[in-house]
Amino acid sequence: WMTATETDNAFFVLERSTDAVHFEPIGRVEGAGNSQVQQSYQWLDISPVEGVSYYRLKQVDNDGQFS
């Protein structure tokens, strides 16, 4: 994934679900903090579950707020 800019971005949490309702954290990637240039990130699920998986990103700020 990519970001165009970042403000106080501490890290991303990668979450996975098998039902698209209940997600659990499976990884973390450090953010760039503050950036006005495009940033590229990647993460590989090295222990995928059998069947369909749903993934989402949680972006966490330096103050702990997230979206």
Side-chain angles (χ1 to χ4, degrees):
W1 67 97
M2 301 169 93
T3 60
T5 63
E6 296 182 27
T7 304
D8 296 329
N9 180 20
F11 56 90
F12 296 94
V13 176
L14 293 299
E15 299 179 330
R16 179 178 61 203
S17 171
T18 56
D19 63 7
V21 176
H22 303 96
F23 285 83
E24 58 184 47
I26 57 170
R28 175 178 161 149
V29 175
E30 295 302 310
N34 294 296
S35 174
Q36 296 301 313
V37 298
Q38 182 175 293
Q39 299 290 324
S40 295
Y41 298 93
Q42 63 180 353
W43 187 85
L44 177 64
D45 185 353
I46 59 172
S47 300
V49 296
E50 190 171 322
V52 175
S53 293
Y54 302 89
Y55 296 89
R56 71 181 181 189
L57 288 171
K58 177 191 276 186
Q59 184 276 316
V60 182
D61 290 341
N62 290 325
D63 64 4
Q65 292 189 32
F66 60 88
S67 59

